[in-house]
Amino acid sequence: MAYEVEAPKYVRLAQTLQRRIEDGTYPPGSRVPSENQLVQSFGMSRPTVVRALELLKRDGWLESRQGFGTIVRGRPEVVEERDRRGRAALERDESQTPGRLVHVGVVPAPQRVASVLGVPKRTKVLARRFLVEEDGEPIELVSSYFPVGLAEGTELAEPAELGESARAHLESRKRVRFDHVTERVSARLASQDEAGLLDMAEGGPVLSVLVVACDVSGEALQVSDVLLPADRQELEDVYRLN
C-alpha cells in the first residue's frame, strides 16, 4: 500500500510564496513581507518562516540585499538550458552511455539529499549509481536519488540500465513534469568506495555537483550528486566586463 506524506510546513509555505511570485502578487524587485508579517499572516513559527525563505533563496526566487531586506528575483533561469553538467545528469540514457550501473537500491538519504527533498535525515530513498567512463577510464560517478513513492510503478528500482533518461522515464510513467534545476558545486575528499570506483587515491579531492531537479511547485523530483576527480577537471568561465 502506498502512503502519501504531507510536505513539511516550511515547504508548503515556500510553495505558497512561490505561487504569489508567479501570479504577480510579489513582482520582481519588490520586497516580500517581513518575517514577523509572515509569522502573523500564516500562523507559523519563526524558524518555519526562516527555512521557507532560505529554500526560496537557494532556488533563486529571492535574494537578500543589505539595507533592503528580502527581494523578489522572479522565476529562476532554467539551469538545464545553460549548464551542461546538470542537463547531462538529467538527460543521460544509461544504455547509450559508456560506463556501468554499479548500484540500485533503497538507502537512507544522505544529509544533503534529505535537506533538498524536505524529508528527515535518514529517510529511505531510491538510489541509482552510475559510473561514466571515457576510453575505459572512469571520469564521473553519478548517484541519483528519488523519493520511494515517486519511483513506485517505474523501472527505476530495476538493476538494469534504463533505455531512456530517468527524467523521460518519470515524465512518461508518473505524469510529472520537470520544470527547473538548481546546482551546488563544492569540493571534498573522496571516500574509500568513491576513490575505488573513480580509480584515484583514497582521500583524493573531488568536485561534487549536487543537481536538484524540481517541478513547477518547487518539489524535488530527482537529486543527483555528480562526483568528478578534481585532478582531471579544467573549469573555464567567460564573462563580459561592463
Side-chain angles (χ1 to χ4, degrees):
M1 179 181 296
Y3 296 91
E4 292 188 3
V5 179
E6 188 175 36
K9 287 183 179 180
Y10 78 94
V11 174
R12 300 202 303 272
L13 176 57
Q15 292 170 342
T16 297
L17 296 177
Q18 180 183 317
R19 286 193 292 271
R20 293 187 180 184
I21 295 172
E22 293 181 305
D23 67 18
T25 302
Y26 304 143
S30 67
R31 293 176 58 182
V32 297
S34 68
E35 292 177 10
N36 286 336
Q37 291 172 323
L38 291 173
V39 167
Q40 295 173 5
S41 297
F42 291 94
M44 295 183 177
S45 67
R46 183 178 297 276
T48 296
V49 169
V50 170
R51 289 193 71 183
L53 294 176
E54 288 300 320
L55 183 61
L56 291 170
K57 292 174 186 177
R58 184 206 73 191
D59 287 346
W61 295 90
L62 302 175
E63 66 177 331
S64 295
R65 292 184 187 174
Q66 188 172 3
F68 290 90
T70 302
I71 307 297
V72 177
R73 296 182 62 187
R75 174 179 287 277
E77 181 179 356
V78 180
V79 176
E80 63 179 357
E81 292 299 326
R82 61 181 176 85
D83 194 295
R84 296 180 181 178
R85 184 72 63 187
R87 184 166 187 169
L90 293 178
E91 304 293 348
R92 178 171 287 117
D93 179 341
E94 294 172 348
S95 65
Q96 300 298 316
T97 302
R100 56 192 173 93
L101 191 64
V102 296
H103 174 78
V104 178
V106 175
V107 301
Q111 184 173 354
R112 295 177 74 198
V113 174
S115 176
V116 296
L117 287 176
V119 300
K121 183 180 177 182
R122 309 295 290 177
T123 295
K124 295 298 180 66
V125 293
L126 176 68
R128 292 182 68 87
R129 177 175 273 192
F130 192 88
L131 184 67
V132 182
E133 299 176 339
E134 186 176 279
D135 297 327
E137 178 184 23
I139 60 171
E140 190 174 307
L141 180 61
V142 184
S143 299
S144 295
Y145 303 91
F146 309 87
V148 171
L150 182 63
E152 290 180 352
T154 73
E155 296 177 11
L156 291 174
E158 298 296 324
E161 295 177 354
L162 287 177
E164 59 185 344
S165 68
R167 171 187 175 178
H169 191 68
L170 282 170
E171 288 187 334
S172 64
R173 295 295 183 91
K174 304 295 286 191
R175 305 301 179 189
V176 295
R177 179 174 174 78
F178 287 68
D179 180 74
H180 60 277
V181 176
T182 59
E183 297 185 7
R184 297 179 185 178
V185 181
S186 59
R188 61 176 176 83
L189 302 181
S191 68
Q192 181 178 7
D193 178 50
E194 293 164 347
L197 289 169
L198 289 168
D199 193 20
M200 56 185 294
E202 181 180 350
V206 291
L207 294 178
S208 170
V209 183
L210 193 70
V211 183
V212 184
C214 304
D215 62 14
V216 70
S217 73
E219 180 178 359
L221 302 175
Q222 175 180 343
V223 180
S224 295
D225 188 11
V226 182
L227 286 188
L228 309 150
D231 61 352
R232 303 173 202 167
Q233 306 304 313
E234 181 175 340
L235 303 179
E236 179 178 352
D237 192 13
V238 178
Y239 58 92
R240 185 180 299 278
L241 296 175
N242 294 322

